[in-house]
Amino acid sequence: LCRGACSSPPPEMTMQRAAASLCLALAAGQSVASLDNMRAARIHSAITKEDTSGVYVDNIPMGTPGKGEVLIEVHTSSVNPVDWKLAEQGLYITPSQLGADVSGVVVGVGTGCSRLQVNDEVWSDVGYSGLLPGAHGNGAWAEYVTVAEEIVSKKPTSLPHSMAGALPLVALTAYQSMVTAGAPWDPNSNISVVITSGDGGTGSLGVQLAKKMGAQSVRSCAAPDHLSYVADLGADVVVDFTQADVFDGVPDDSIDVVFDNYGANGTAQIAMNALRTGGWYVFLAGGTGPGICEEPACTPKDGVNQLSLWTDSSGHDDLDAIAAIADSQGLTVNVDSSYALEDSADAMARQMSGQTEGKVTIEVIA
């Protein structure tokens, strides 16, 4: 990339021009932040489902990788429910750069980095620094993002950026939920898993990873027009949530793992009845649901383990493991819709609609 970019690229090609400036700056030991700007989607005010105009693209300085950091040229990012929930509640420091997921190419490496190098194709969950006092975010809805090397993994070779960029946060969430509950399991151990919503990001990855990590039976639910999609992902039973509850017909003491990624009122108590002694109830923290089973609202079952899961993106090991699963067993990535960086507000509105099948992505380099 640097060899090609430094050979006087056409001035109208913004990405190549930025890469050329980066190469020249690195060669001269200079800061690249002053040499070029980049486009980044930032939030300037709280949004609603009817009005996402508070999100728009600005031209801002391109960052420089510091000690232990890499600079990633972003190819694809995506919208997660937490993005709009935080934005809707006005929790970001404004203006703040948005986006946690990234798949792209390393174009700069700071001092102290030894694992990654320029031209590596990588993915990461860069987190939500825009929530911190005094910060304005370092999100991936941008042409470039500076990220700590420790949280960046080489992306699956089996997935193009357009698909890999949809996965880091939801894949980490689903993977860590299964590992918490004991995965990978012995295929002969007859493990049964319930995932309370199978057609969104965490659910679609949860269904696949549960099966690929040894679960014998996976049960989930979906919207009427998404039933075949979730079944194709590997779910053995898919319930139409407009007609029945995912636990309808499930005997007491028959389930090993409940991954409650939806969080409806009353789910925790129903899960307690369905779970075996030694089983796991994993609740996806940060949602709108009541959380794990706690008295007086819910009566926990003796011997059932519970966890309110916050996704841990502080290292690269789990993304490495997910990449290995994708490359050895395959992962299906369903992109509901894709938007250009300039249309990030529309991408947010689509995710907020509640009608998505799979992920909404933002393509920075198509």
Side-chain angles (χ1 to χ4, degrees), residues 54-55 87 140 157 168 187 223 275 283 301 327 354 364:
V55 174
T157 58
L275 283 161
F283 176 80
K301 177 188 283 187
D327 287 339
V364 181

Side-chain angles (χ1 to χ4, degrees), residues 185-254:
W185 301 285
D186 182 339
N188 297 317
S189 59
N190 200 32
I191 295 293
S192 57
V193 177
V194 170
I195 297 171
T196 56
S197 177
D199 47 0
T202 55
S204 62
L205 267 294
V207 169
Q208 293 181 78
L209 289 173
K211 292 294 283 191
K212 294 178 188 302
M213 298 176 79
Q216 180 67 30
S217 172
V218 174
R219 182 184 183 95
S220 192
C221 71
D225 54 344
H226 298 170
L227 299 176
S228 61
Y229 163 63
V230 177
D232 289 344
L233 294 175
D236 300 282
V237 177
V238 187
V239 177
D240 178 349
F241 77 82
T242 67
Q243 301 298 318
D245 186 89
V246 69
F247 289 98
D248 285 355
V250 174
D252 289 353
D253 304 308
S254 64

Side-chain angles (χ1 to χ4, degrees), residues 20 36 66 70 72 85 89 106 136 139 148 181 211 284 329 335 365:
D36 225 319
V70 296
I72 300 173
K85 290 177 182 178
Q89 296 173 49
V106 175
H136 292 280
K211 292 294 283 191
L284 183 53
Q329 301 185 58
V335 175
I365 299 179

